[in-house]
Amino acid sequence: MIPEERRLVRLPTLPSWEKLLSRLYVLPETAVDQKALRLELLGLISNESVTVAQLYARLCVFLPKITGCEGVIIWGAGPLGAQIIATNLSSKKALRCVETKLIQRIAKPEHYHFNKSSPVALQVNQKTMTNCHLMSLGELDGQQNYLLTVSSRSISTETSRVFEVIRQVLGLRLKNNQLAQNLQQQATTITNLTSQLGEGMVMTNSSGQITLWNRSMQRLTGFRSSETVNRPFEQFFRRVGQLDWLTILSGEAKSPEPKHISADFQILTQNDELRWVSCLVTIYKNRSGVFEQAVLVARDISHKKNLEQKKNEFISIATHELRTPLTAVKGYLSLLERKGDNLTEKQLSYLSQATKASNRLGRLAEDLLRVTQIDQDRLSFKPQSIHLFPILKKVVRDFKPKALAKGVTLSLTTSKLPDTVRLDRERTEQIFANLIDNATKYTEQGSIKVSLENSEDRQGLNPQLIVNIRDSGIGISSKNIEEIFEKFHRAHRPEQSREQGAGLGLYIVKSFVEKQNGTITVKSRAGKGTHFAVAFPLEQTKRSKK
Amino acid sequence: MSNKRVLLVEDEPLLIDLYQERFGEEEFQLEIARDGNEALKKADLGADLILLDILLPGINGFEVLRRLKRNLDTRDIPVIVLTNLGSEQSDSDKQLAFSLGAVDYLVKSYHTPDEMVEIVNKRLQ
């Protein structure tokens, strides 16, 4: 960010331009060619594409014509004395003028009075120059610059005005020049600093274009800064199955806290090689909270991602491979059961145990497969308008026998609330089957109550449908509750519960809920019971809009 | 239903034995094809239903399905994909199978032979 005072000063535009023009121009007795000359001079000194050096050279030609002075000298006061920068005199003569004691004294900053006509007795071309005008112009390349005009004739008020205008505009030009140099220096410092960083650094502006691309990014991707700056960020950084990046940044910028977010991206290198980077993104916004720019620090995590991918592939293949023998085991067990008339009671009980075990193995394989699909973002959802109540009714009906067998009542509170949501039917059924199955597993007595409720935010917007699943089971300790949605986390040690599992169910549930724009929360007290609440955005039907 | 022919395309001996064992009790006639080419040849001879595996030696099941649907003689035979690939929920393999003209997508490990017989008989009716 450039502080206010470092921003380049704009050269005079219309209002002040008109003012300047009138100062030079409103002189009825001035000859027509004089007016033209002045206009040309003004055009020249306000033209930003003319360099300061060119401008100085032109002034030496114009000023004698306009003001009637004989000599124009522009010099810089450096540590080694005066250095002539531009003049219409010979440089020897010019130097002699400038080095007179009087000029030297006046030109010292503390004694400096610009716009003062000084009777400096200078000899130029055998004439005594009695009327001189000395102006301090400003600093250029570390030297204070001065302009001296020498004239044998007196300087009129009108001419003084011309000088004043020139001084003002030139002052701005020099100030700008200096600011531009400062900026250039700062830019060089930043470039040097960022190029030393071992980590990649990228900046984007409010329209999502890259504004900085450091050397580490070049090492990582093969693309040079010149190939990436001013190009869209998303041309190089990709996120699978995500909102477009600018929308995310603008959304994040709205939140009141200073924003740092982490995100993983894929980058296609110049050699068409796919690499993964993990980025820490800092979002900057302006005073009104609008996203202004983002700074990304990127770390190459391709190696880690490759290992992760290999792990996922392995689990995926292993699970598929498991399915075939599992099909045979389950199949033959079912054939055995079919012809079970000749089996003894003991043999039948062995058969039932083997069937249970093979079913559990099957569920484990399916859960593992689903988790790898979630982690690889390969799950697809087919959202459609559905009523949630009938789905809950079916799930509750399916689990009722299991609950009853344990002496636990499982009930669904009848509801006529709006319950239209836009969700994938099968996955939604899985969410509630999983939660109600868990409740049944971990409740030894009492009840499991499923109920629906509607809610809105404070402004009466964003209506939601909330499904509550409350049980009077063994509960989850506060120590464990934070982690229950994590992969391979089991809330209960084997001695607390006879129920088995790999700790994947709630991870899958949470992924399914969040992938469908829902939220899931849990409250629990050990020994008292657990309350899961799943909320989905309610679809606005004609009836609910009324 | 007595003369109905069901073609099972399956390369895994364990599962061929299993399905033969149970399907043998039914009235329909069970034909076995152990790879894609054999499946196409046997389908050409006529079938009332095809149970098609995907991971097969030689031509894979998706390609077999594509060719069956391109052939005027076999295009009307209903094909149930019976595989251990993918899942019965929303899944890219299932979507591909349906887009190629399968009437159902079943994961083998989800269904006992009894359930398979029920599904097949329902289709044959």
Side-chain angles (χ1 to χ4, degrees):
Chain A
M1 297 290 295
I2 306 160
E4 203 67 46
E5 66 270 15
R6 294 231 178 97
R7 289 206 171 126
L8 288 187
V9 183
R10 289 190 64 184
L11 286 178
T13 48
L14 266 181
S16 48
W17 166 267
E18 274 169 350
K19 218 156 108 193
L20 290 169
L21 195 65
S22 66
R23 284 200 207 158
L24 283 181
Y25 208 57
V26 178
L27 299 161
E29 74 275 27
T30 313
V32 175
D33 59 340
Q34 270 284 314
K35 286 186 179 183
L37 271 174
R38 288 177 187 200
L39 206 56
E40 204 180 327
L41 174 65
L42 196 57
L44 190 73
I45 59 179
S46 8
N47 184 348
E48 287 176 62
S49 60
V50 177
T51 66
V52 175
Q54 286 169 333
L55 195 54
Y56 282 173
R58 302 293 289 168
L59 276 176
C60 295
V61 178
F62 269 100
L63 281 179
K65 287 186 192 163
I66 294 169
T67 66
C69 68
E70 280 97 340
V72 181
I73 308 159
I74 301 171
W75 81 95
L80 303 171
Q83 280 183 308
I84 306 296
I85 303 170
T87 181
N88 64 339
L89 306 172
S90 78
S91 44
K92 218 184 234 174
K93 264 183 213 163
L95 204 58
R96 220 169 37 231
C97 285
V98 167
E99 283 179 339
T100 58
K101 274 189 185 155
L102 185 63
I103 297 292
Q104 282 297 300
R105 194 164 62 80
I106 294 172
K108 277 190 183 163
E110 65 266 30
H111 291 148
Y112 161 67
H113 305 280
F114 60 78
N115 216 11
K116 183 180 176 185
S117 311
S118 310
V120 187
L122 290 173
Q123 289 291 320
V124 178
N125 299 342
Q126 279 100 43
K127 273 190 195 165
T128 307
M129 302 290 148
T130 52
N131 288 289
C132 300
H133 193 100
L134 175 66
M135 303 188 277
S136 171
L137 301 175
E139 215 181 286
L140 180 72
D141 299 334
Q143 287 189 340
Q144 188 66 30
N145 283 10
Y146 297 95
L147 187 150
L148 177 71
T149 58
V150 291
S151 172
S152 54
R153 287 181 290 275
S154 68
I155 296 170
S156 64
T157 333
E158 177 211 330
T159 311
S160 291
R161 277 195 200 145
V162 174
F163 284 139
E164 175 58 13
V165 171
I166 291 170
R167 191 192 64 78
Q168 281 182 12
V169 181
L170 274 177
L172 285 178
R173 282 297 302 270
L174 290 184
K175 200 174 166 195
N176 263 357
N177 229 44
Q178 201 176 356
L179 289 174
Q181 276 177 356
N182 285 349
L183 283 180
Q184 187 57 46
Q185 267 174 10
Q186 285 190 354
T188 315
T189 312
I190 291 173
T191 314
N192 288 345
L193 269 177
T194 57
S195 67
Q196 297 303 314
L197 276 179
E199 276 160 335
M201 193 172 196
V202 180
M203 280 169 76
T204 68
N205 61 15
S206 61
S207 43
Q209 281 174 326
I210 294 169
T211 53
L212 183 135
W213 184 271
N214 77 347
R215 208 166 287 166
S216 290
M217 282 309 295
Q218 182 183 334
R219 274 194 292 273
L220 185 68
T221 62
F223 291 113
R224 273 170 302 169
S225 159
S226 58
E227 295 167 286
T228 54
V229 168
N230 293 331
R231 296 275 187 82
F233 172 77
E234 290 186 318
Q235 189 179 331
F236 302 94
F237 287 76
R238 277 155 218 190
R239 292 225 294 176
V240 188
Q242 294 282 342
L243 280 175
D244 85 281
W245 183 232
L246 213 53
T247 315
I248 295 178
L249 290 181
S250 317
E252 294 285 354
K254 281 184 195 126
S255 91
E257 305 98 58
K259 274 319 257 197
H260 297 284
I261 55 171
S262 316
D264 290 355
F265 291 94
Q266 285 182 315
I267 297 186
L268 199 62
T269 69
Q270 212 176 21
N271 310 327
D272 283 340
E273 196 188 327
L274 204 58
R275 299 202 78 90
W276 278 93
V277 288
S278 165
C279 293
L280 181 70
V281 188
T282 312
I283 299 170
Y284 294 93
K285 50 191 172 183
N286 64 16
R287 283 187 197 124
S288 37
V290 177
F291 165 61
E292 214 166 48
Q293 60 176 350
V295 178
L296 287 91
V297 177
R299 203 156 42 88
D300 187 359
I301 51 160
S302 309
H303 183 62
K304 188 181 135 209
K305 281 278 176 183
N306 285 341
L307 287 180
E308 228 169 74
Q309 200 176 338
K310 277 189 186 137
K311 180 203 79 186
N312 282 335
E313 275 166 16
F314 168 74
I315 295 178
S316 179
I317 291 169
T319 316
H320 280 129
E321 288 301 315
L322 271 178
R323 273 177 170 176
T324 301
L326 200 61
T327 313
V329 170
K330 281 169 75 174
Y332 280 112
L333 286 173
S334 78
L335 293 188
L336 195 57
E337 200 180 351
R338 197 177 139 76
K339 294 177 177 162
D341 301 349
N342 310 326
L343 297 179
T344 66
E345 203 153 304
K346 197 147 213 176
Q347 284 167 331
L348 277 173
S349 104
Y350 292 166
L351 179 61
S352 146
Q353 292 297 345
T355 308
K356 266 190 206 157
S358 69
N359 285 341
R360 209 173 95 199
L361 190 58
R363 279 198 301 274
L364 177 62
E366 294 309 312
D367 279 355
L368 274 174
L369 197 61
R370 209 155 292 146
V371 167
T372 57
Q373 283 173 330
I374 290 170
D375 291 351
Q376 291 175 308
D377 218 347
R378 269 180 32 220
L379 275 187
S380 55
F381 289 81
K382 275 193 290 185
Q384 50 180 322
S385 288
I386 51 170
H387 286 285
L388 203 54
F389 188 74
I391 291 179
L392 292 171
K393 211 167 150 184
K394 177 181 177 290
V395 178
V396 166
R397 199 178 53 222
D398 289 349
F399 282 94
K400 224 165 202 165
K402 191 174 168 186
L404 275 178
K406 294 176 84 175
V408 173
T409 57
L410 169 59
S411 63
L412 169 66
T413 313
T414 320
S415 146
K416 292 217 165 80
L417 292 170
D419 69 338
T420 314
V421 278
R422 199 165 169 76
L423 300 174
D424 181 303
R425 179 186 292 276
E426 284 178 52
R427 301 224 190 271
T428 305
E429 200 178 310
Q430 281 168 27
I431 291 169
F432 295 109
N434 216 317
L435 289 174
I436 293 173
D437 186 30
N438 268 354
T440 319
K441 275 185 194 167
Y442 297 111
T443 307
E444 296 304 328
Q445 56 185 3
S447 62
I448 301 162
K449 289 177 183 155
V450 183
S451 63
L452 278 176
E453 85 183 82
N454 284 159
S455 86
E456 285 170 341
D457 62 15
R458 275 182 210 150
Q459 286 86 38
L461 298 168
N462 301 319
Q464 286 192 314
L465 181 64
I466 302 171
V467 181
N468 295 299
I469 299 159
R470 293 186 175 88
D471 68 50
S472 59
I474 60 174
I476 306 160
S477 70
S478 54
K479 198 179 75 197
N480 277 321
I481 204 147
E482 303 261 309
E483 294 162 350
I484 59 164
F485 293 113
E486 283 174 21
K487 228 187 307 186
F488 302 113
H489 178 81
R490 297 204 54 220
H492 304 288
R493 290 194 304 278
E495 64 268 23
Q496 283 176 291
S497 162
R498 285 183 293 111
E499 294 298 339
Q500 303 288 318
L504 296 172
L506 286 177
Y507 176 76
I508 295 171
V509 164
K510 189 171 197 258
S511 307
F512 280 12
V513 170
E514 289 180 349
K515 276 274 172 191
Q516 305 192 90
N517 305 318
T519 52
I520 179 165
T521 51
V522 59
K523 281 180 215 152
S524 187
R525 278 177 65 196
K528 298 278 177 195
T530 305
H531 171 197
F532 278 98
V534 180
F536 287 115
L538 202 55
E539 199 173 43
Q540 302 270 359
T541 59
K542 273 178 205 155
R543 209 175 58 193
S544 62
K545 265 183 197 163
K546 268 181 199 171
Chain B
M1 262 209 293
S2 56
N3 288 323
K4 301 263 175 162
R5 270 164 59 95
V6 174
L7 177 61
L8 173 69
V9 188
E10 174 63 68
D11 65 312
E12 174 59 52
L14 257 177
L15 299 186
I16 295 174
D17 291 349
L18 174 72
Y19 291 127
Q20 264 178 331
E21 183 77 30
R22 179 63 187 85
F23 289 6
E25 295 176 23
E26 299 301 307
E27 288 185 4
F28 56 77
Q29 193 187 329
L30 187 68
E31 286 285 333
I32 309 286
R34 287 176 171 78
D35 62 47
N37 278 321
E38 198 184 345
L40 289 170
K41 271 183 213 152
K42 291 202 167 163
D44 242 353
L45 300 174
D48 297 290
L49 180 67
I50 298 175
L51 299 172
L52 178 63
D53 193 11
I54 295 297
L55 297 175
L56 291 168
I59 319 170
N60 75 41
F62 289 127
E63 184 54 30
V64 172
L65 183 54
R66 204 193 313 267
R67 293 193 196 178
L68 285 172
K69 292 297 162 191
R70 233 191 283 148
N71 184 340
L72 283 178
D73 296 331
T74 57
R75 63 189 294 174
D76 295 327
I77 308 172
V79 178
I80 294 176
V81 169
L82 181 62
T83 177
N84 266 333
L85 194 69
S87 92
E88 288 180 14
Q89 279 86 39
S90 324
D91 176 274
S92 56
D93 294 317
K94 179 184 172 183
Q95 279 164 23
L96 179 59
F98 276 105
S99 72
L100 290 174
V103 295
D104 209 346
Y105 188 94
L106 301 176
V107 171
K108 289 181 229 175
S109 63
Y110 293 1
H111 302 281
T112 61
D114 280 354
E115 286 166 8
M116 284 310 304
V117 163
E118 204 177 309
I119 291 165
V120 168
N121 280 331
K122 213 177 250 175
R123 278 282 162 200
L124 289 178
Q125 269 166 17

